[in-house]
Every structure is written in structure tokens, then in C-alpha cells.
Amino acid sequence: MKYTAQQFIEMTERYGAHNYKPLDVVLSKGKGVWVWDVEGNKYMDMLSSYSALNHGHCNEKIIRTMKEQLNELTLTSRAFRNNKLPLFLKKVCEVTGMEMAFPMNSGAEAVETALKAARKWGHKVKGIPDNKAEIIVAENNFHGRTITIISFSTEKQYKDGFGPLTPGFKTVPYGKIEAIRGKINDNTAAVLLEPVQGEGGILIPPEGYLREVKQLCKEKNVLFMLDEIQSGLGRTGKLFAWEWDGAKPDVIILGKALGGGVYPVSVIATSRDIMGVFTPGDHGSTFGGNPVAAVVGVAALDYILEENLTERANKLGNYFMDKLRTLKHPAIKEIRGKGLLIGMELKEPAREYAEKLQKEGILCKETHSMIIRFAPPLVITKEELDWAFERIKKVFS
Ligand SMILES: *Cc1c(COP(=O)(O)O)cnc(C)c1O
């Protein structure tokens, strides 16, 4: 039985929860920056699964590595040891400049891991009275979808109906150091931020902000934690977005592209002291650190380094932003971004433009209703960006 695109869509809507509103394009194949739908139409993927596809679709090196592992050993749980996890942990530490790593699967799980580390560190090391630890977060944050994480979201819809919510979080405006200074007290265990707010609408904090937050955290004996799930691994033109501000965190959270576009792999990395709060039985995950995830994670990191994807994102990001800024269309308010994490803010709803771009062969998505995010796989070439620009120009002329 061969289904039509319309039948696939109907089946998804009939049997699946309606928790997304995807573009009505049913994809069946991908290679590099390109994807094909079930009718054979070709598109450029300019969303990259929110930066999970930095390596492009079906990256050959990563798939080969994964296939080899699939024939050897796939899952041990952490009840037993395996011969691939140690290499992954070592690689993550080398690349992040940290001492220890904790493997999980989804980004949200890694964020939860960081929150647990911060709370336990606060109570057991800093000496915060039990159950009093506070974590400072920013307005417009996006850190995932678990109950605890949405508890400190400022997006109303994310929380509506999902309470009772988890207490222990204080929210401050993003980009304002004084706001954090005003909220830090003896019970503050950590500050958790994104170096660039991706889902928030490609919001870039003022230069020096992260450095000041880091300094303040140090003074007050508070952990400085950065969620680099979307901004990390080359996307912004630095391996980690914190490098733009020279503000290395105490705890870094990685996910998305760490899985090479093929498998969920996430991790937190930190110092021996902080990771030392975890003892056997404290926290874990059945699939976290499995051998397939481990080899995929190593291959994903190696590929970014060997192929200079970071450098490419920086150069091509500037090139593409310059081109986008030449567009003079009344609906365009601003082009902003870092590397290949680019936002085009409009003065009107972006969805309609995303649908027009789809007709031109470009897949992208609105974020926060007025912003179009252009974030193609980092393997994209200059010629492919030129191709994309011609299409975008057609829609915005
Ligand atoms: C995507 C994302 C997450 C959540 O990752 P999942 O794998 O979807 O759970 C967390 N933080 C940031 C910054 C993200 O972009």
C-alpha cells in the first residue's frame, strides 16, 4: 500500500497527539542540507531540527560508525560497563575543557541533570538549608519540556494546565546583570542561562554580560551553568557560544548536534568537585551512555573538529547575514544572529512567509510568531547559501 502525502498527514493527525503544528510536508529522504518529500519534491532544510542536524542529514561518517556499533553491542544499561562510554566521556571532557561528564539522551534530561547537580551541590557543599536551594533563570528561556523545566518557563502556554509546578526558581530579564545581582542570596545555588536564546527568538545578550554573570557567580559562590544544547558545537561560529564572551561555565549542557543528527545524545560536563555530588543511585538513565550513543557522540564531535564546521559557520554566517541585510522589504524589521543561527524578525506573522518559502523549496519555521529562523546544517556550502538567498529574495521582494 502506497500512501499519499495527504493520507500520511491524516494518519498523523488521527493517531498522534496534536502537540505540534508542522508544515504540511511529508519527508522521506535526506542528504546533507537537502530533503525530499514523498512526492519527490526537493527542499533545503534551513531549520536543521533546531540545530540537531549540524552535520547534515544522513552524514556518512556518523552513519557508518553507528552501523558498525549496531552489529557489536547496543545497550548494557549502567548496571554493567561498556567499552565505548569511557571514550565518549574522555572526548567530551577534552572538547569542553571539563573534568567529568554525565551522559543522558534528550536535552531536557541533561538540563534536569544539571538542575539536580546544582541543587545537591547547593545543599551538600555550599551549605544551603535543605530544600531551600534556588536557581536563577532568564525570561524567554527555553530549556525543554519536563514539568520542572516548564515550571520556570515564562511562556504561558508551556505551563497552562500542567501544574502544580516545581518551586525553587527565580526569573530575571535576560541580558541584565543588575537583575541577577538583585536576586542572588545565600540560598542561590546556580544561575542557568542560554548564551544565545534560540527559541526565545535568536536573542543575543549584550557583550560582556556572560562574563559579568560568571564573575558575579564566582563572588557569591554560585554555579554558573550554560545550556549550549542549541548554541553549542559550532552553530554560532565558535565551538561553544560562551567563547564569544570568554565566559567558560562551571557546568555546560550539550545535546542536539551531539547526536550527529541520528540519535539522541546529551551530556553535562563540569568539574570533579561539582560532579562529585552524585553517588551511586542518585540519578541515571537506562539508555544514557549506551554504546551506540557513545560512538555517535565521539563521531559527532570528531566530525565538527576535523571538518572545521565552526569556522565554516562563522564565515558563512556573516556572509549570509550580509546578503539578507540587502533585502529591502517592508515586512523585515531586523536581521540578527551569530554564525549560522540567524533570525529574521518581521513586522507581521512569520508563518505565512515560512509557507511561501516552502513553495520556493526552502524549509524553515517561525519562532515566536514574528521571527523566521535560518539555521541550515553547518555542512552547507557558499553556493547552496546563494541558491537559498535567491529564493528568499523572491519571497521578500
Ligand atoms: C532543544 C533544546 C532543549 C531541549 O532539548 P530536547 O532534546 O528537545 O529535550 C533544551 N535547551 C535548549 C537551549 C534547546 O534548544
Side-chain angles (χ1 to χ4, degrees):
M1 169 96 195
K2 201 166 176 299
Y3 296 103
T4 64
Q6 196 48 41
Q7 285 170 321
F8 281 122
I9 292 168
E10 278 164 16
M11 217 189 296
T12 312
E13 297 307 304
R14 174 160 181 194
Y15 295 107
H18 294 180
N19 58 323
Y20 280 96
K21 190 171 176 283
L23 292 180
D24 282 335
V25 56
V26 182
L27 302 175
S28 57
K29 200 173 164 47
K31 190 79 215 153
V33 300
W34 302 100
V35 286
W36 288 263
D37 70 12
V38 289
E39 286 154 355
N41 299 309
K42 183 184 180 185
Y43 305 89
M44 180 181 286
D45 181 353
M46 289 213 100
L47 179 63
S48 310
S49 294
Y50 313 95
S51 294
L53 284 161
N54 284 3
H55 303 76
H57 288 268
C58 296
N59 183 291
E60 268 169 39
K61 272 192 183 164
I62 290 166
I63 298 232
R64 196 181 322 122
T65 304
M66 185 166 171
K67 279 186 177 165
E68 281 167 17
Q69 188 59 40
L70 288 173
N71 292 326
E72 294 295 324
L73 181 69
T74 57
L75 188 59
T76 57
S77 83
R78 299 292 302 276
F80 311 130
R81 295 175 189 270
N82 71 62
N83 64 344
K84 294 295 164 22
L85 176 60
L87 306 176
F88 173 63
L89 297 172
K90 181 166 180 274
K91 178 64 96 182
V92 168
C93 288
E94 284 165 3
V95 171
T96 56
M98 296 288 187
E99 291 172 333
M100 295 181 102
F102 194 132
M104 296 295 277
N105 313 285
S106 70
E109 287 173 305
V111 172
E112 289 272 353
T113 304
L115 297 174
K116 284 174 90 170
R119 282 184 167 185
K120 192 160 184 204
W121 176 87
H123 294 133
K124 306 290 180 185
V125 178
K126 179 167 172 171
I128 298 171
D130 229 14
N131 297 321
K132 294 289 184 210
E134 293 175 358
I135 294 171
I136 296 176
V137 297
E139 287 171 5
N140 286 315
N141 70 71
F142 184 85
H143 297 286
R145 298 292 202 158
T146 65
I147 297 245
T148 289
I149 294 171
I150 56 109
S151 294
F152 59 84
S153 170
T154 55
E155 194 66 27
K156 241 191 172 157
Q157 192 205 343
Y158 292 179
K159 312 205 245 209
D160 185 30
F162 296 118
L165 302 174
T166 308
F169 298 93
K170 284 195 173 171
T171 307
V172 295
Y174 187 60
K176 298 200 165 66
I177 182 69
E178 289 313 319
I180 296 182
R181 203 185 301 281
K183 285 274 163 76
I184 285 192
N185 61 44
D186 292 344
N187 291 342
T188 310
V191 174
L192 170 65
L193 298 171
E194 297 154 85
V196 175
Q197 289 186 328
E199 300 309 298
I202 324 291
L203 301 177
I204 300 159
E207 205 194 316
Y209 171 66
L210 295 176
R211 209 160 47 235
E212 285 178 320
V213 177
K214 178 185 164 84
Q215 181 58 31
L216 179 62
C217 285
K218 199 169 162 210
E219 276 166 32
K220 303 284 186 182
N221 193 27
V222 163
L223 302 183
F224 173 48
M225 310 203 292
L226 289 181
D227 177 346
E228 293 249 21
I229 291 170
Q230 185 163 156
S231 60
L233 303 180
R235 173 56 61 184
T236 70
K238 299 273 188 195
L239 189 54
F240 303 110
W242 66 255
E243 293 170 46
W244 285 108
D245 226 13
K248 185 181 170 191
D250 299 311
V251 178
I252 190 166
I253 309 166
L254 300 174
K256 292 207 167 107
L258 190 57
V262 299
Y263 200 77
V265 184
S266 69
V267 79
I268 76 163
T270 181
S271 67
R272 197 168 304 285
D273 280 352
I274 295 165
M275 201 67 93
V277 300
F278 287 118
T279 59
D282 273 359
H283 185 48
S285 156
T286 304
F287 277 82
N290 75 70
V292 177
V295 298
V296 166
V298 171
L301 290 169
D302 280 342
Y303 192 88
I304 290 167
L305 299 173
E306 286 162 12
E307 303 293 323
N308 295 317
L309 292 193
T310 304
E311 197 30 45
R312 176 187 280 276
N314 191 38
K315 276 220 290 273
L316 292 181
N318 287 331
Y319 171 74
F320 196 55
M321 271 188 282
D322 283 345
K323 289 195 92 155
L324 290 174
R325 289 194 178 108
T326 65
L327 294 173
K328 300 285 176 249
H329 187 274
I332 299 175
K333 189 171 165 202
E334 188 188 31
I335 309 288
R336 59 171 179 264
K338 265 203 165 25
L340 281 169
L341 186 57
I342 299 169
M344 177 191 267
E345 184 165 354
L346 302 178
K347 294 174 192 156
E348 44 195 89
R351 174 87 186 192
E352 181 194 324
Y353 289 93
E355 284 167 5
K356 279 186 192 160
L357 286 165
Q358 180 191 342
K359 292 204 182 78
E360 294 299 324
I362 291 181
L363 295 183
C364 60
K365 189 119 202 305
E366 77 278 9
T367 176
H368 268 240
S369 82
M370 309 288 258
I371 300 157
I372 292 186
R373 173 173 26 195
F374 293 116
L378 306 186
V379 294
I380 198 165
T381 62
K382 189 160 166 286
E383 291 67 31
E384 286 166 333
L385 278 173
D386 289 340
W387 182 93
F389 180 73
E390 289 310 312
R391 266 83 202 156
I392 296 167
K393 195 163 99 182
K394 224 176 128 188
V395 169
F396 289 95
S397 67

